[in-house]
Amino acid sequence: MTTRRRRTLRTGTAAGALLLALAACGGPGQAGQSAGPPVEGGQLTYALSVFPKCVDPALQARGLSAPQQFVETLTDQDRTTGEIVPRLAESWEVSPDARSVTFHLRQGVTFSDGTPLTADVVKANIDSLKALSAEGKTDTPLISSLNSYQGTTVLDPATFRVDFGDPELGFLRNVSDPYFGIYAASTVASSYDDRCAGTSLVGTGPYVVDNVVKNQKIELSKRADYDWAPAGVTNHTGAGHLDKIVFEVVPESGVRVGGLLSGQFDVADDIPVTDQDSITGAGNQLLTGLVPNLVPGLRQNPFSPLGGDAVVRTAIQKSIDRAEIRDTLYNDHYSLPTSVVASNTPYYTDESRFLQYDPEGAKKLLSDNGWTTGADGVWQKDGLRLAPRVIYVSGTVQGATQQELELIQQQLKRVGIELQLLPGTQTEYTAVYNDKKNNSYDFLTGSGPAKDVDFLAGLFNKTNPALGGADQPELQAASERLNLASTDAERRAAAADLQELIISKGYWIPVREQTKAVGIRSGVQGVAIDPYGATVLYDAWKQDAS
């Protein structure tokens, strides 16, 4: 095992890397990098706030960092520059029309079951993901990235070509996302239920899945023969330092924080703002990162009279005081949203002029468009009260939180908009969401992980289940332009136009930038957050390992 200096191979358009800050000790972006040579061995216990719907990232494992330890992708991103760097693929060529990408695989890579990484296995993976996407069983970013996928051709055991019907300039970045992890043939052949449960996941990563207990824990063990860590991403080569990693589900934030302070946990996810000072004050570390994504916010139901009204959406946009939300609920680790995507997402454009707090402007807009205030101070028009309904899953960490929604409710009330909050269980939420065409709600809350702006084309195309095929010609045309862009210049312009349209017409109403906050016990070194916002433990080690 050796340590390595980071390097960047410039193979694509420069992009914003994950913005990181570390409190207490250690260097930028990684916990405790100056504590001497790594100590081998020991178990790291990681407290999770939630157990995802699925353990396999392709099948909706948002917020789960375990996959980053056992599955790898074809490409990756340099942690400093955001440049695309090799991972399982050592090189590639993109065709002039951006409709084909030819990959050359790294030699000597094997899955944890001993089978080799080959072009045939990768083809089987991509074909399987496309089939699962067609059945609606994969996460939204994957559906978008394979939207025009036509097939994969194996050229030799280590070379394959991926073909698309449309230009796919973002594909190299897309295949760096965890949802595009490459698994052994046995995983590809396994059932959806087994993949979702995590019981059949065999990857090439430095750790191996030993045991999964739904809603309780995921146990990983070190793979001794791992020796193909990507340059520009890691600080050493060879096997991981830790013998074992255990992810435990601890929903109560107070228990996660208390466990970290007592030494029960080595790392804890989702540290609340109110507890961050106690973490660092006790000599522990706080690692925070701005996550490139669709920022947490509100999304219209295009079939409801209120959600489908651009005037109403714009009035709500103007009535939200995002600075008050940040200053009331967060601290200076958290940024105000300035677009539909985070400010470190590739091809981001600053649309903050449409996100200024302007309650008087909201009132004028409503008045100019035929709305009048009733005796109770709430705007009304043609017998319809301006009382939009927002659905969300109780206790969710995806999208706007209940605290944020309650503060927004107070802000909108000052303008004469009566926001109705409708929390429910996942089952209740799904039933209401699926009934959108019958005007079952006006807005939902959400967010979305992505390292490339291409995902906007899929999220705001009418084929997306959240839009249910609704006819919104202007939005549809803008998403199609981004989807069909064939040059970097066209793509950048289309991405800027789509972001402006989404924000200016309120197709997405941002609430905040999404910041990941991870607590790390004193003496734990080398913990990092990747460009996807997930915690990576390959370089991690414990000074008191035993």
Side-chain angles (χ1 to χ4, degrees):
M1 181 183 306
T2 59
T3 53
R4 64 150 57 114
R5 180 178 300 171
R6 294 176 181 234
R7 70 178 181 86
T8 300
L9 178 63
R10 296 185 174 271
T11 54
T13 303
L18 186 73
L19 301 181
L20 296 154
L22 182 66
C25 61
Q30 193 172 68
Q33 298 180 49
S34 57
V39 177
E40 304 298 322
Q43 172 180 307
L44 183 143
T45 304
Y46 191 118
L48 296 171
S49 59
V50 294
F51 196 91
K53 177 181 177 180
C54 293
V55 178
D56 185 349
L59 312 180
Q60 300 185 12
R62 296 184 188 183
L64 179 65
S65 293
Q68 268 73 0
Q69 325 314 322
F70 60 78
V71 66
E72 296 179 298
T73 49
L74 292 172
T75 64
D76 208 317
Q77 286 192 49
D78 184 274
R79 301 301 187 253
T80 302
T81 67
E83 295 284 351
I84 298 298
V85 297
R87 189 143 194 161
L88 293 180
E90 63 182 4
S91 63
W92 48 81
E93 299 88 41
V94 179
S95 66
D97 62 2
R99 285 179 166 84
S100 296
V101 184
T102 300
F103 290 93
H104 306 276
L105 293 174
R106 188 182 301 275
Q107 299 295 306
V109 177
T110 60
F111 296 96
S112 59
D113 63 0
T115 59
L117 172 70
T118 66
D120 284 318
V121 173
V122 177
K123 170 181 166 57
N125 270 266
I126 301 175
D127 288 345
S128 173
L129 292 176
K130 178 60 177 179
L132 289 168
S133 296
E135 297 171 7
K137 294 181 177 179
T138 61
D139 210 348
T140 302
L142 185 65
I143 295 173
S144 177
S145 66
L146 291 176
N147 185 47
S148 70
Y149 174 71
Q150 291 189 329
T152 297
T153 301
V154 174
L155 303 177
D156 63 46
T159 310
F160 61 95
R161 187 184 69 245
V162 184
D163 296 313
F164 299 93
D166 298 323
E168 293 289 348
L169 291 167
F171 189 65
L172 288 176
R173 198 171 300 278
N174 288 336
V175 295
S176 72
D177 278 336
Y179 61 74
F180 238 114
I182 303 300
Y183 292 104
S186 61
T187 300
V188 177
S190 65
S191 68
Y192 169 86
D193 288 341
D194 285 345
R195 289 186 67 160
C196 184
T199 57
S200 66
L201 302 181
V202 178
T204 62
Y207 290 87
V208 180
V209 180
D210 284 336
N211 184 40
V212 179
V213 181
K214 186 174 182 180
N215 296 324
Q216 293 185 34
K217 64 181 179 179
I218 301 172
E219 297 178 330
L220 311 178
S221 62
K222 177 168 67 175
R223 185 177 173 189
D225 63 346
Y226 179 80
D227 195 25
W228 43 84
V233 174
T234 63
N235 284 338
H236 81 285
T237 60
H241 299 304
L242 301 164
D243 286 336
K244 191 177 182 70
I245 301 171
V246 177
F247 291 87
E248 292 187 9
V249 179
V250 185
E252 301 83 3
S253 62
V255 178
R256 292 196 306 277
V257 171
L260 187 72
L261 293 174
S262 69
Q264 178 184 0
F265 305 129
D266 298 300
V267 181
D269 251 347
D270 299 324
I271 302 299
V273 173
T274 52
D275 293 312
Q276 291 176 4
D277 286 345
S278 66
I279 294 292
T280 56
N284 300 296
Q285 305 161 81
L286 183 72
L287 188 63
T288 62
L290 177 61
V291 182
N293 71 344
L294 176 74
V295 300
L298 303 178
R299 180 172 198 157
Q300 59 154 171
N301 174 4
F303 296 100
S304 83
L306 297 180
D309 189 330
V311 169
V312 169
R313 298 194 305 266
T314 304
I316 293 174
Q317 193 85 283
K318 292 176 177 290
S319 300
I320 296 177
D321 187 344
R322 295 166 178 86
E324 182 184 26
I325 294 172
R326 192 269 313 277
D327 296 343
T328 302
L329 301 177
Y330 300 102
N331 57 32
D332 58 8
H333 288 303
Y334 298 80
S335 304
L336 298 180
T338 53
S339 183
V340 62
V341 296
S343 57
N344 60 335
T345 302
Y347 293 98
Y348 150 90
T349 58
D350 186 344
E351 305 296 340
S352 56
R353 65 191 184 281
F354 298 113
L355 297 174
Q356 301 302 308
Y357 179 50
D358 184 13
E360 294 307 314
K363 294 177 184 178
K364 184 177 186 305
L365 179 65
L366 291 168
S367 178
D368 289 348
N369 284 275
W371 291 83
T372 59
T373 52
D376 60 356
V378 177
W379 292 92
Q380 57 186 355
K381 179 181 179 181
D382 299 330
L384 178 65
R385 297 177 76 248
L386 189 43
R389 301 155 296 168
V390 177
I391 61 170
Y392 60 99
V393 177
S394 300
T396 183
V397 295
Q398 301 294 334
T401 66
Q402 182 157 329
Q403 282 185 310
E404 290 168 337
L405 292 172
E406 289 172 349
L407 185 50
I408 291 171
Q409 186 180 49
Q410 296 172 25
Q411 294 174 348
L412 267 58
K413 184 178 180 180
R414 298 196 291 261
V415 180
I417 301 173
E418 186 179 63
L419 191 67
Q420 302 180 71
L421 304 182
L422 304 177
T425 64
Q426 182 66 59
T427 300
E428 292 168 338
Y429 172 91
T430 300
V432 175
Y433 170 82
N434 288 338
D435 196 36
K436 63 175 65 68
K437 292 184 179 180
N438 290 320
N439 184 26
S440 55
Y441 68 94
D442 301 301
F443 296 91
L444 57 78
T445 178
S447 61
K451 286 186 286 189
D452 195 276
V453 78
D454 269 5
F455 77 112
L456 288 179
L459 283 172
F460 292 93
N461 190 295
K462 66 180 181 181
T463 58
N464 187 288
L467 297 180
D471 187 21
Q472 300 183 104
E474 189 177 23
L475 182 63
Q476 182 67 20
S479 67
E480 289 288 356
R481 282 197 298 275
L482 176 57
N483 190 49
L484 297 175
S486 59
T487 67
D488 280 337
E490 288 178 4
R491 187 165 176 253
R492 185 176 297 278
D497 290 345
L498 181 55
Q499 289 173 74
E500 178 175 335
L501 176 65
I502 290 170
I503 296 299
S504 65
K505 297 294 180 67
Y507 289 111
W508 189 267
I509 299 175
V511 173
R512 61 174 161 85
E513 293 258 36
Q514 184 167 335
T515 299
K516 184 181 180 74
V518 178
I520 303 167
R521 184 174 64 83
S522 176
V524 176
Q525 313 295 323
V527 178
I529 298 179
D530 74 4
Y532 195 71
T535 309
V536 180
L537 302 172
Y538 171 65
D539 285 322
W541 55 280
K542 297 169 62 174
Q543 289 177 312
D544 57 357
S546 59

